[in-house]
């Protein structure tokens, strides 16, 4: 077929623009939405390595923040768009190669997020008792990859390194009364373990100062309202240098000023004899993790801030301080993972791109955290995905315009490998079953946490529906 002849009709009913989106989190769904809003005829095939969609909204958002999961209602509507196909349980790079995708689709848009973590670079980082926040968050959210992790919650002292919103989630889940978590969709195994937790002192430790934390002030303020828990900040830590003061005076830095205000209001708090305590420490970097086979001490070096306002860096002073603890969560940010054939910036953990176009390969695009790194809230990904889709649509005249087989072609080859590909209908059956199980125990849902169980529920419900015994959602 002559592409020069066909290029004019790409994006019409006779030759729909077929885009493969890799990943089914917020940026993937927002990219699909932007594509469907274009005047072209578009087919979107969304590939997801798990059997179920929604990425970090399902597996990252804390269970006690259900409002933040509301975007799934929007995603559900997007999934009803004519021309949308969900291909769950398909791993790109393992079940489908990049070359296969480039053959079956006109463009590939990566929205696969940041699945790994930054490292501290310390020896003993992986000693027993030391975990990434990702593991803990995945565990309490019932992520199949993390459901079998265990955390020694018999420890009384837990340390969290990093001062961003993930660190706050970890601290809050450790500190919150268990009865306030029971009515959430937290995985049952996590509720059981947290109910027996003896963690009492939670230390949140940042390498820079109180004016440079990455917390959003609403999340920070919530820690101060937890029942049976006191937040503790030393007044000495709030002596700010002139660069910090000018940072706080900048109107665009409103969030940091609110954070400092909140810290100030906590300086009068004293450690209570009973209950839990969240301690904030600033200007300390971990330099040693020690223990005989399992963690029992972390050594921090005290820092001072150097550099101009908004570019202040932590510089070690040589002064050391030890903290005895049995449980450590490293919460210093996520990293995207490489994928065979796709350019990768290993220092940032992203697919390097310009305006969403992956550098060096014509028909590859990126949106969300794999494009810009792990920053922003869920809504940030909408504008980000729209910008990438604008680039993709502007490139239309340069794409290989020959008709492509899309999901149909892919599914045929996946079926030959005996891979069970889950549809959006399958997800709806899993969703209905999770909600049914949740209702029995007074939760919005009881997540199915094992891949084989998800596949079994999808297959079983599908068969029953086909036999007419069950109404499909
Ligand atoms: P983050 O906001 O980037 O925070 C990372 C923290 O780790 C910062 O305090 C950073 O300090 C510190 N850090 C980085 N490298 C370090 C090192 N080598 N040693 C010591 N500290 C180090 O990342 P995050 O908490 O993982 O959150 C990721 C994104 O998800 C953020 O945009 C966050 O707002 C979002 N999120 C939102 C919510 C919510 O809205 N409820 C909940 C969870 C996550 P420096 O500033 O000095 O680099």
């Amino acid at each position: 077929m002559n592409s020069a002849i066909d290029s004019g009709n790409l994006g019409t009913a006779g030759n729909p623009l077929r885009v493969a989106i890799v990943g089914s989190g917020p940026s993937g769904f927002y990219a699909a939405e932007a594509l469907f809003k274009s005047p072209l005829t578009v087919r979107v095939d969304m590939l997801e390595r798990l059997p179920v969609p929604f990425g970090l909204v399902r597996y990252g958002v804390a269970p006690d923040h259900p409002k933040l999961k509301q975007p799934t209602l929007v995603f559900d509507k997007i999934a009803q768009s004519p021309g949308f196909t969900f291909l769950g349980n398909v791993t790109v790079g393992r079940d489908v190669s990049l070359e296969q995708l480039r053959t079956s689709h006109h463009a590939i848009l990566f929205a696969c997020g940041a699945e790994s973590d930054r490292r501290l670079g310390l020896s003993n980082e992986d000693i027993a008792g030391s975990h990434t926040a990702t593991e803990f968050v995945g565990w309490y959210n019932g992520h199949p990859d993390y459901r079998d992790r265990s955390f020694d919650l018999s420890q009384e002292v837990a340390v969290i390194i990093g001062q961003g919103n993930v660190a706050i989630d970890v601290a809050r889940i450790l500190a919150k009364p268990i009865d306030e978590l029971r009515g959430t969709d937290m995985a049952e195994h996590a509720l059981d373990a947290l109910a027996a937790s003896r963690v009492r002192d939670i230390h949140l430790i940042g390498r820079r100062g109180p004016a440079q934390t990455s917390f959003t002030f609403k999340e920070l303020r919530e820690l101060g309202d937890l029942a049976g828990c006191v937040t503790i900040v030393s007044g000495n830590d709030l002596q700010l240098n002139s660069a910090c003061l000018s940072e706080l005076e900048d109107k665009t830095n409103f969030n940091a000023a609110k954070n400092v205000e909140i810290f100030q209001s906590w300086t009068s708090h004293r450690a209570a004899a009973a209950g839990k305590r969240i301690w904030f420490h600033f200007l300390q970097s971990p330099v040693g993790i020690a223990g005989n086979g399992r963690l029992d001490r972390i050594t921090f070096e005290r820092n001072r801030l150097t550099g101009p306002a908004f570019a202040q860096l932590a510089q070690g002073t040589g002064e050391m301080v030890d903290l005895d603890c049995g449980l450590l969560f490293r919460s210093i940010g996520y990293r995207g993972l490489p994928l065979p054939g796709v350019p990768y910036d290993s220092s940032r953990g992203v697919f390097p791109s310009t305006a969403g176009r992956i550098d060096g390969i014509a028909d590859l695009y990126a949106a969300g955290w794999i494009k810009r790194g792990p920053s922003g809230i869920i809504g940030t990904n909408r504008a980000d995905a729209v910008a990438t889709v604008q680039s993709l649509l502007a490139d239309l005249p340069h794409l290989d315009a020959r008709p492509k087989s899309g999901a149909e072609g892919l599914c045929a080859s996946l079926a030959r490998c005996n891979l069970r590909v889950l549809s959006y209908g399958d997800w709806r059956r899993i969703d209905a079953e999770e909600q049914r199980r949740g209702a029995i125990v007074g939760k919005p849902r009881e997540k199915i946490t094992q891949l084989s169980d998800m596949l079994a529920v999808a297959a079983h419900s599908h068969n029953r529906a086909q036999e007419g015994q069950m109404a499909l959602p």
Side-chain angles (χ1 to χ4, degrees), residues 3-324:
S3 66
I5 291 169
D6 292 329
S7 62
N9 76 353
L10 180 58
T12 63
N15 184 14
L17 171 67
R18 294 192 187 270
V19 181
I21 295 182
V22 181
S24 68
S27 48
F29 271 99
Y30 289 136
E33 180 186 45
L35 283 163
F36 287 129
K37 278 188 176 165
S38 85
L40 303 174
T41 304
V42 183
R43 301 278 179 270
V44 171
D45 301 322
M46 184 176 274
L47 295 100
E48 166 58 56
R49 77 175 176 92
L50 293 174
V52 295
F54 306 149
L56 265 193
V57 178
R58 178 174 160 96
Y59 290 121
V61 170
D64 59 337
H65 281 173
K67 274 195 183 155
L68 296 183
K69 294 179 198 251
Q70 279 176 358
T72 57
L73 302 175
V74 176
F75 302 161
D76 200 51
K77 283 212 178 88
I78 297 166
Q80 306 313 310
S81 310
F84 178 89
T85 304
F86 178 74
L87 299 133
N89 199 34
V90 180
T91 301
V92 174
R94 187 193 67 189
D95 306 319
V96 178
S97 70
L98 180 62
E99 274 324 301
Q100 263 176 298
L101 276 185
R102 295 184 76 193
T103 309
S104 55
H105 291 79
H106 297 106
I108 300 147
L109 194 156
F110 290 94
C112 41
E115 287 200 78
S116 183
D117 305 273
R118 289 190 193 128
R119 304 272 303 168
L120 287 169
L122 297 176
S123 55
N124 271 343
E125 193 160 344
D126 299 308
I127 194 170
S130 167
H131 311 272
T132 60
T134 305
E135 292 170 77
F136 189 62
V137 171
W139 171 77
Y140 66 60
N141 273 324
H143 192 299
D145 289 357
Y146 301 107
R147 65 184 294 278
D148 295 322
R149 299 297 160 99
S150 62
F151 303 89
D152 181 4
L153 300 175
S154 70
Q155 298 294 327
E156 290 195 2
V157 181
V159 166
I160 304 167
I161 294 175
Q163 292 190 326
N165 284 334
V166 172
I168 286 207
D169 282 345
V170 172
R172 195 181 62 255
I173 294 298
L174 288 172
K176 204 162 202 171
I178 191 69
D179 286 341
E180 292 184 30
L181 295 172
R182 285 194 202 282
T184 73
D185 69 359
M186 179 177 278
E188 199 180 0
H189 58 248
L191 282 172
D192 290 346
L194 286 164
S197 168
R198 296 182 60 213
V199 172
R200 193 155 175 243
D201 287 299
I202 301 156
H203 297 268
L204 267 159
I205 304 183
R207 63 179 169 182
R208 295 194 291 157
Q212 288 83 31
T213 64
S214 302
F215 308 134
T216 46
F217 79 88
K218 282 188 188 155
E219 316 292 317
L220 181 63
R221 195 170 53 197
E222 190 184 351
L223 284 186
D225 296 333
L226 294 180
C229 179
V230 61
T231 42
I232 302 170
V233 178
S234 160
N236 290 340
D237 284 342
L238 299 181
Q239 310 291 321
L240 302 177
N241 67 19
S242 58
C244 290
L245 293 174
S246 63
E247 284 178 18
L248 296 180
E249 276 163 19
D250 189 314
K251 294 262 182 299
T252 61
N253 202 22
F254 167 82
N255 186 72
K258 289 292 281 184
N259 281 346
V260 170
E261 219 178 278
I262 293 167
F263 290 136
Q264 259 152 0
S265 72
W266 291 346
T267 53
S268 58
H269 292 182
R270 295 289 168 263
K276 293 183 180 176
R277 308 180 286 213
I278 300 178
W279 307 80
F280 289 82
H281 309 267
F282 305 100
L283 293 169
Q284 294 185 25
S285 288
V287 290
I289 296 176
N292 191 4
R294 86 167 323 287
L295 172 70
D296 57 29
R297 178 170 303 166
I298 308 175
T299 303
F300 293 87
E301 181 174 10
R302 286 195 195 280
N303 297 326
R304 73 167 72 86
L305 290 176
T306 60
F310 293 108
Q312 295 192 83
L313 294 175
Q315 189 178 61
T317 61
E319 189 190 342
M320 303 294 166
V321 45
D322 284 339
L323 183 51
D324 291 343

Side-chain angles (χ1 to χ4, degrees), residues 389-456:
V389 167
Q390 276 168 355
S391 295
L392 192 161
L393 296 175
D395 291 348
L396 207 69
H398 311 293
L399 297 177
D400 173 2
R402 288 172 295 183
K404 304 275 183 168
S405 59
E408 228 168 87
L410 277 185
C411 285
S413 88
L414 289 167
R416 283 194 290 277
C417 312
N418 284 330
L419 188 83
R420 168 91 164 89
V421 181
L422 273 77
S423 66
Y424 202 79
D426 287 325
W427 152 244
R428 293 193 128 194
R429 288 180 262 280
I430 292 170
D431 183 30
E433 176 61 13
E434 288 187 344
Q435 291 188 40
R436 190 191 67 77
R437 292 183 190 183
I440 296 168
V441 289
K443 295 166 70 172
R445 70 176 62 242
E446 187 63 66
K447 282 187 193 165
I448 299 170
T449 60
Q450 215 153 12
L451 294 178
S452 54
D453 290 348
M454 291 180 188
L455 300 186

